[in-house]
Amino acid sequence: MTVTISDVAKRAGVSSAAVSMVLSGQYKGRVSAKRAEVIQKAAKELGYVGNSLAGSLRTKKTNTLGFISDVVASTPYAYAMVAAANRRANELGYLLLISETGGDPKATQDVFSTLMAQQVSAIAYASMYHQAITLPEFRPKNLVVLDGYATDEDVISVVPDEVGGAKTAINHLIELGHRKIGFINDRYSVDAGPMRLEGYYKALAEAGIEYRDEYVVHSLIENPEVDAAAHELLTLPDRPTAIFCFNDATAAGVYRAARRLGLSIPDDVSVVGFDNFLPIATNLEPQLTTMQLPHEQMATWVIDHLVKNLESPAEEIEQRRIQFDCPLVQRGSTKAI
């Protein structure tokens, strides 16, 4: 019968996290010397044998990185992020261990503990959404949060430039001659929604265009509510000539509402989405102009940074939250007026 970390923790009367810290040699300052001795004794008595990956990062015999996510790994929206991280790790001669926690705090700590017990001392923690992330107490020093930001300000985080992306979208419409620009935002988005609204405000202000309350609608980004939000904008007495959408699924709702009202895209209304989620963006007719979330670029940067820290002392990065541009992907849903 294989002896596990949980078995050692039970014998020593401590948490699995404490065991993983001690057995990985990363417990100084976190677990007392006395408790570490008890854990080591329990492991020896039970005949605990670490995974064959143990010591790999230290000896360079087997280079392994961890990629932990909440729900990213099984979500089509962020497939490019996972694929890019795996591709870059392989290019650098590293194996990427991918695990998903479902966002459960206990499952997250267990995954961190397991990887650390295997001496996987470099970990990327990826979020499905741009949001605040509370990391487990026991974690490696070589850690970066991807597509979210840590509540612990000492941890480097890599995120999309939501404000800049929204400004780029609105500026594109302004350059096409639009002055009446609506915005359907996500009512429940804590971070991305407010930041994209800020970008909308700024682009209008910089162009000298008056902000109009009736042009901004906050909606649940799902059918049928998003369709109702789009209908509301498109039936205003002085309706917008263009609509910026929180994401591509929202833009699809504008297409549906416009079709029901007998309006043509882009002849009657131009539409810009956000995400560049290809199953939606390229299957709408006309294809959707949208903002690209820089998943691949962010993931590649994270792997490069983690590996650099492992192989040589890296320069200290003063900026703890790194932002990546969201470029415009222009297709057929926008038109000059």
Side-chain angles (χ1 to χ4, degrees):
M1 180 177 178
T2 303
V3 178
T4 67
I5 286 178
S6 296
D7 297 326
V8 177
K10 185 175 181 180
R11 170 68 71 92
V14 299
S15 67
S16 296
V19 173
S20 69
M21 291 291 292
V22 171
L23 297 183
S24 66
Q26 302 180 56
Y27 67 90
K28 291 184 179 179
R30 297 182 178 183
V31 179
S32 68
K34 184 175 181 180
R35 180 165 293 182
E37 185 178 346
V38 172
I39 292 171
Q40 290 164 344
K41 181 179 178 182
K44 184 176 181 180
E45 290 173 349
L46 292 173
Y48 174 80
V49 178
N51 187 280
S52 61
L53 290 174
S56 64
L57 296 178
R58 192 172 300 166
T59 64
K60 300 299 184 203
K61 292 180 180 178
T62 305
N63 297 334
T64 310
L65 305 174
F67 188 100
I68 303 174
S69 73
D70 43 21
V71 293
V72 166
S74 62
T75 306
Y77 277 91
Y79 170 77
M81 183 161 59
V82 181
N86 189 54
R87 181 170 59 250
R88 187 57 176 159
N90 290 340
E91 289 172 353
L92 297 175
Y94 283 75
L95 172 69
L96 192 69
L97 297 182
I98 302 171
S99 183
E100 186 172 295
T101 69
D104 178 72
K106 184 180 183 303
T108 301
Q109 179 64 86
D110 288 344
V111 172
F112 268 84
S113 298
T114 299
L115 291 180
M116 291 169 66
Q118 296 175 336
Q119 295 285 12
V120 178
S121 57
I123 292 177
Y125 184 88
S127 170
M128 171 58 193
Y129 302 106
H130 188 160
Q131 61 184 330
I133 302 296
T134 300
L135 294 168
E137 178 182 359
F138 295 107
R139 58 181 188 264
K141 292 181 179 179
N142 197 10
L143 168 70
V144 176
V145 173
L146 174 59
D147 203 29
Y149 59 95
T151 53
D152 183 343
E153 295 181 356
D154 289 335
V155 177
I156 293 176
S157 303
V158 179
V159 296
D161 181 0
E162 308 281 5
V163 175
K167 285 187 65 178
T168 298
I170 302 306
N171 284 334
H172 167 65
L173 293 170
I174 291 171
E175 289 169 2
L176 293 174
H178 294 278
R179 294 296 180 270
K180 296 185 289 186
I181 304 171
F183 178 27
I184 303 178
N185 201 5
D186 184 356
R187 179 187 302 144
Y188 296 109
S189 175
V190 176
D191 291 287
M195 285 187 280
R196 291 176 191 178
L197 182 59
E198 180 184 348
Y200 172 82
Y201 285 145
K202 286 184 174 180
L204 293 181
E206 290 173 6
I209 299 174
E210 182 181 359
Y211 168 78
R212 298 172 61 169
D213 284 332
E214 70 270 26
Y215 280 178
V216 177
V217 181
H218 297 270
S219 171
L220 176 66
I221 307 302
E222 293 181 3
N223 293 343
E225 187 169 335
V226 70
D227 293 48
H231 184 272
E232 178 182 338
L233 287 179
L234 293 174
T235 55
L236 287 171
D238 187 22
R239 64 174 174 81
T241 61
I243 298 178
F244 172 49
C245 301
F246 175 78
N247 62 10
D248 295 345
T250 307
V254 176
Y255 274 64
R256 291 189 294 269
R259 184 178 64 251
R260 294 185 189 111
L261 292 168
L263 298 175
S264 172
I265 297 172
D267 293 334
D268 296 314
V269 60
S270 287
V271 182
V272 178
F274 211 113
D275 285 348
N276 195 29
F277 182 46
L278 296 180
I280 294 177
T282 60
N283 283 294
L284 291 172
E285 180 58 45
Q287 292 190 349
L288 181 65
T289 295
T290 186
M291 306 307 299
Q292 174 72 58
L293 281 173
H295 285 147
E296 293 188 38
Q297 293 80 5
M298 293 191 302
T300 299
W301 186 94
V302 167
I303 298 301
D304 283 342
H305 176 79
L306 293 176
V307 170
K308 183 177 180 181
N309 276 349
L310 289 173
E311 297 185 345
S312 63
E315 294 181 8
E316 182 66 20
I317 297 178
E318 293 185 8
Q319 185 179 356
R320 310 312 285 177
R321 198 178 301 187
I322 312 298
Q323 293 192 108
F324 277 72
D325 291 338
C326 299
L328 176 75
V329 181
Q330 189 170 351
R331 298 192 178 97
S333 65
T334 54
K335 179 182 177 181
I337 60 172

